[in-house]
Each structure stands twice: as structure tokens, then as C-alpha cells.
Amino acid sequence: MEEEVIPVLRVEDAAVAVVWYERLGFVQQWVHRFEPGFPAFVEVARGKVRMFLSEHEGDARPDTLVYLRVRDVDAVAAEFGARIEEAPWAREVELRDPDGNRVRVGTPKS
């Protein structure tokens, strides 16, 4: 097992959030509920990059920022109709998921 950090993002409706993250190339891995009708806790992955999406109040704060480093920010910008910003370290776009979480996506300049 490799050690890793996995961000947890608060979402209102995990199914809606999964569809949005699929546009970024993530794929749902699993869904956990303590009982039917209870809040969902979902893992999505893009290659080795993983995130947890949680409907549980208190698991994470709304308006969280995560940074996703990708090979081709142009493809992400095209998918979301977003404008690329030039930073000294990367070409980036900043997106907001359906719950207001910020996802900054960038391709390093070197």
C-alpha cells in the first residue's frame, strides 16, 4: 500500500457530484451508506488521483479548494468552457462543482 492524501469534499447530492467529476475524467469507485437512505460517501478516481465526496454534514467545509495537476489543461478548459489563466508556475482554470467547491486545474509550465 502506498501512502497518500485523499481530499474529502462536502456535497449535497453525491450522484449529481459524480456526474460533474466524470467530466474531469474521474470514475466512481464505490459508494458507502451506513443504512439505506443515509448520506452517501463516495470515492472517485482519475488514475491514481482519488477524492472522497461526502453527503455527511461535518465531514468537510463547503467552498473547499483542491488543486488538480493534469497533462492537458486545454482539454479541461474546452470541456467546461473556461478561460485559461497564465500563472508563473502553470496554465490554470478554476472551476466550481455543483456544491461550490473550487477545483483549480493546472498544467505545469516546465
Side-chain angles (χ1 to χ4, degrees):
M1 180 197 86
E2 288 185 44
E3 294 182 352
E4 62 185 322
V5 173
I6 304 174
V8 178
L9 299 178
R10 172 76 170 94
V11 298
E12 237 358 90
D13 184 329
V16 170
V18 166
V19 170
W20 190 87
Y21 281 94
E22 285 173 343
R23 295 175 63 198
L24 276 174
F26 285 87
V27 176
Q28 180 176 304
Q29 302 300 298
W30 48 261
V31 177
H32 170 74
R33 293 178 192 271
F34 285 106
E35 291 186 25
F38 277 39
F41 191 86
V42 179
E43 180 181 295
V44 294
R46 175 188 165 123
K48 291 185 176 186
V49 176
R50 301 187 182 289
M51 289 197 297
F52 294 145
L53 307 175
S54 178
E55 293 178 354
H56 295 267
E57 289 185 23
D59 270 0
R61 295 174 49 150
D63 195 35
T64 297
L65 170 64
V66 295
Y67 194 96
L68 174 63
R69 195 173 276 163
V70 299
R71 288 186 190 93
D72 185 8
V73 72
D74 294 282
V76 173
E79 170 66 26
F80 287 90
R83 196 175 98 239
I84 294 176
E85 299 287 335
E86 297 289 335
W89 53 87
R91 300 177 69 239
E92 302 176 330
V93 297
E94 185 163 307
L95 308 171
R96 285 200 178 260
D97 74 8
D99 297 286
N101 295 301
R102 295 175 298 145
V103 181
R104 193 169 298 149
V105 183
T107 298
K109 287 193 173 177
S110 56

